[in-house]
Amino acid sequence: MEEVYSALLTVAALVFAAEALRTSFRRFRAPDLVGEIIAGSLVGPFALGGLLDSVLGQPVIVVDQYVTFLSEIAMLLLVFSSGLEHGIAPLRTAGLVGGLAAFFGALLPFLSAYFIYSPAYGTETALFMGVAIGATSLAAVVPMLEGTKREYSEFLLSSAAIDDVVDLILLSVVIAYLSGASGIGVAFKAVELILVWLVILAVSVLVIPRLADRLSETYTEELSLLVLFGLTAFMVSLGYSPIIAAFVAGVALAESVKKEKIGEMANVLLAVFGALFFAVLGAEINWTAMSLEAIALTLELTAIATAMKVAGVFPFAFLKLKSVKGAFLVSLGMVPRGETGLVVAYLGTSMGALNQVEFEALVLTAVLTTLIGAYSFKTMTTEEKEQ
């Protein structure tokens, strides 16, 4: 039982510190998630939290399964809220061009990492590195777009959402390849994931809002949570990322006449837990234990991830937006790896494809790309508003 109370104290401390730092960082035009990640690093068990633990002689600030569980709920709420706010429109307007931006934005970093690192690190390690640095974090894109209502913001959101599906396909292909599947088997798996996702999206948008509209308003909040967590559980069981499911749930409920009431509930929950996901992301990093080899590899991966993401996204964003600045903003917005890169890193470690140095480098790359992409995007959009 003491573990539960330590977890609650940790959550409260992280949320408080995240609110304090993100408010302070706004003076430097930094996006909120930058302050939240740094707050987690300062308060977490590898910094002030660890110092407090050593003084008291027992663990007080911990990042255990309870804290991780609540942070994942915060992540789902962030993505759900974004899907609810924007609806199906961004996916419709992005169309084939948005899909190509997502595809090549994930494929170029993946191939670059594979060809660069396979000679030195081996095929399995290089494949997982490629998948980890190919992904775009939808959870990081959502807070970046807050208050931004331009054509490029809708294109960025839709491309980031599709990117999650693309990276899931890449991950599935890698796992199938390492399991000894044939070329036909790997191709069939990729097509299956795309078709099933499209079917789930179409059925959700057609059925869920009609169900919500027919039920009494008394059950609106409860139904929205049931849709969010029910669809997440279902899609995770099929092998999809929970982030994809949360976005689909939000997009579906956005078509309901009760969208505004559902949004109010989501905003209340986010007001309490919204900062937790990125604070926990920062708290999980032990900066002092990073080896020089891991730091050097991090810098290499971050450079490849950033350059290749921009190279893959920019041409298609420009084709859609007809604006160099808008296309560059979309490309920068796709740079954060966030939670998606972390999930792949954890999976690669559990399968024995990544050692500790490689794992640490991918974790730090996920954080650095998130900071770089978010800060660059925020700076350019702020300058745009002032002009």
Side-chain angles (χ1 to χ4, degrees):
M1 187 61 69
E2 290 181 0
E3 293 179 355
V4 175
Y5 296 126
S6 293
L8 292 175
L9 175 59
T10 300
V11 168
L14 289 174
V15 169
F16 179 82
E19 178 63 32
L21 256 71
R22 71 182 179 185
T23 302
S24 301
F25 274 45
R26 284 172 184 168
R27 284 180 278 177
F28 305 101
R29 297 179 176 179
D32 288 349
L33 65 86
V34 172
E36 291 162 4
I37 290 174
I38 294 175
S41 297
L42 294 176
V43 176
F46 300 113
L48 295 177
L51 180 62
L52 180 62
D53 293 349
S54 62
V55 171
L56 297 178
Q58 59 181 343
V60 178
I61 302 298
V62 296
V63 179
D64 57 12
Q65 69 269 28
Y66 302 110
V67 176
T68 303
F69 169 71
L70 291 174
S71 74
E72 289 177 354
I73 291 179
M75 175 186 68
L76 293 178
L77 288 171
L78 278 170
V79 177
F80 171 76
S81 179
S82 180
L84 183 67
E85 179 184 356
H86 294 88
I88 194 68
L91 292 176
R92 285 174 177 163
T93 56
L96 176 62
V97 179
L100 290 172
F103 177 74
F104 283 98
L107 186 64
L108 288 189
F110 171 77
L111 292 177
S112 298
Y114 173 73
F115 285 113
I116 290 172
Y117 292 110
S118 56
Y121 292 87
T123 300
E124 293 187 10
T125 299
L127 286 172
F128 271 99
M129 282 182 174
V131 176
I133 70 167
T136 290
S137 167
L138 182 58
V141 170
V142 168
M144 285 163 46
L145 292 175
E146 187 176 357
T148 304
K149 296 289 184 181
R150 298 293 182 92
E151 185 181 3
Y152 62 72
S153 64
E154 288 200 345
F155 186 81
L156 171 56
L157 179 68
S158 61
S159 297
I162 298 171
D163 185 282
D164 266 338
V165 180
V166 174
D167 205 62
L168 168 67
I169 294 169
L170 285 175
L171 178 61
S172 300
V173 166
V174 167
I175 293 175
Y177 170 77
L178 296 180
S179 301
S182 65
I184 296 177
V186 169
F188 179 79
K189 182 64 177 178
V191 173
E192 177 190 12
L193 287 168
I194 296 172
L195 292 178
V196 171
W197 177 72
L198 289 173
V199 169
I200 292 173
L201 177 63
V203 172
S204 298
V205 171
L206 289 173
V207 175
I208 290 174
R210 287 172 172 77
L211 177 62
D213 293 344
R214 291 184 179 181
L215 283 180
S216 168
E217 285 201 2
T218 306
Y219 306 107
T220 299
E221 291 89 348
E222 290 79 3
L223 175 66
S224 61
L225 290 177
L226 182 61
V227 168
L228 169 58
F229 297 124
L231 191 58
T232 299
F234 172 65
M235 292 188 70
V236 167
S237 70
L238 296 178
Y240 289 89
S241 163
I243 301 169
I244 301 172
F247 186 74
V248 171
V251 166
L253 285 170
E255 304 302 308
S256 169
V257 296
K258 298 172 183 175
K259 170 185 174 180
E260 185 175 344
K261 187 174 183 180
I262 298 170
E264 291 174 357
M265 176 212 66
N267 289 334
V268 170
L269 292 174
L270 285 173
V272 179
F273 294 107
L276 184 60
F277 171 71
F278 290 105
V280 171
L281 179 61
E284 289 184 314
I285 302 172
N286 187 354
W287 300 91
T288 60
M290 288 283 179
S291 66
L292 290 177
E293 183 183 356
I295 293 173
L297 182 57
T298 296
L299 296 177
E300 291 177 5
L301 289 169
T302 300
I304 295 169
T306 303
M308 291 298 102
K309 179 65 73 172
V310 172
V313 173
F314 183 87
F316 300 100
F318 179 76
L319 183 63
K320 176 68 178 180
L321 302 172
K322 304 296 189 296
S323 165
V324 172
K325 186 172 183 179
F328 192 55
L329 277 168
V330 170
S331 303
L332 288 175
M334 295 280 282
V335 167
R337 282 3 181 219
E339 79 292 336
T340 314
L342 290 177
V343 168
V344 176
Y346 280 116
L347 182 60
T349 304
S350 66
M351 294 182 66
L354 300 172
N355 61 29
Q356 186 62 29
V357 169
E358 295 152 0
F359 171 74
E360 289 175 354
L362 286 175
V363 170
L364 193 52
T365 298
V367 175
L368 285 182
T369 52
T370 300
L371 294 175
I372 291 169
Y375 195 86
S376 302
F377 184 87
K378 180 71 172 181
T379 300
M380 290 188 67
T381 52
T382 301
E383 290 175 353
E384 182 184 48
K385 292 176 183 177
E386 292 177 350
Q387 291 176 353

